[in-house]
């Protein structure tokens, strides 16, 4: 019975994957516009951020949509197919759970933020007011 359930969900994931990715492309909305000076400051701040994600994870899509809407240049790290990124996530964050935003603080410490809603709220608070 487990095998049947496993194959059912694998098939379901194969069927839904194109729709999840299509929703990311179509449902992003218009990105925030900033003047070049403000965008340079935002880009510099984004150099301290990295998003560990799976390409077809709906919660990762939710965060990537927020990143696109806020016009942020955050490095995306594939924790599903890249073993080095997966190991970094396990070691630094404590769990291979996505999405996870790694934030490097100015004192050199790192903060690992899980949960798409928490990440989106943090991004909105940090970068949304500049628009």
């Amino acid at each position: 019975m487990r095998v049947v359930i496993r194959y059912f969900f694998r098939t379901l994931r194969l069927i839904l994957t194109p729709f999840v990715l299509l929703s990311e492309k179509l449902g992003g909305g218009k990105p925030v516009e900033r003047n070049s000076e403000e965008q340079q400051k935002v880009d510099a701040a984004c150099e301290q951020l990295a998003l560990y994600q799976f390409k077809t994870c709906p919660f990762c899509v939710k965060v990537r949509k927020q990143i696109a809407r806020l016009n942020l240049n955050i490095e995306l790290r594939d924790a599903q197919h890249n073993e080095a990124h997966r190991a970094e996530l396990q070691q630094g964050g404590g769990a291979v759970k996505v999405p996870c935003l790694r934030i490097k603080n100015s004192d050199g410490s790192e903060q690992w933020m899980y949960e798409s809603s928490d990440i989106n709220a943090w991004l909105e608070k940090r970068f949304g007011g500049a628009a």
Side-chain angles (χ1 to χ4, degrees), residues 33-48:
E33 293 183 20
R34 300 179 185 91
N35 65 41
S36 61
E37 183 180 311
E38 289 175 340
Q39 188 62 44
Q40 285 178 349
K41 289 178 184 177
V42 168
D43 290 344
C46 287
E47 289 178 4
Q48 304 304 313

Side-chain angles (χ1 to χ4, degrees), residues 3-4 8 18 21 29 39-40 47 55 64 73 75 80 85 94 99 110 115 117:
V3 173
V4 172
F8 170 77
L21 295 175
Q39 188 62 44
Q40 285 178 349
E47 289 178 4
K55 180 107 175 123
R64 290 195 307 262
N73 295 317
E75 179 184 2
Q80 186 174 19
H85 292 159
E110 291 181 341
E115 300 300 328
S117 296

Side-chain angles (χ1 to χ4, degrees), residues 77-106:
R77 296 186 174 183
D78 186 356
Q80 186 174 19
H81 296 84
N82 186 313
E83 289 300 320
H85 292 159
R86 188 179 190 91
E88 289 171 12
L89 179 59
Q90 176 69 47
Q91 184 179 4
V96 179
K97 180 181 169 190
V98 293
C100 181
L101 183 67
R102 187 199 72 206
I103 306 163
K104 283 188 180 179
N105 298 314
S106 57

Side-chain angles (χ1 to χ4, degrees), residues 64-78:
R64 290 195 307 262
K65 281 183 175 183
Q66 177 80 332
I67 289 170
R69 189 185 69 74
L70 292 173
N71 199 12
L72 305 175
N73 295 317
I74 296 176
E75 179 184 2
L76 302 178
R77 296 186 174 183
D78 186 356

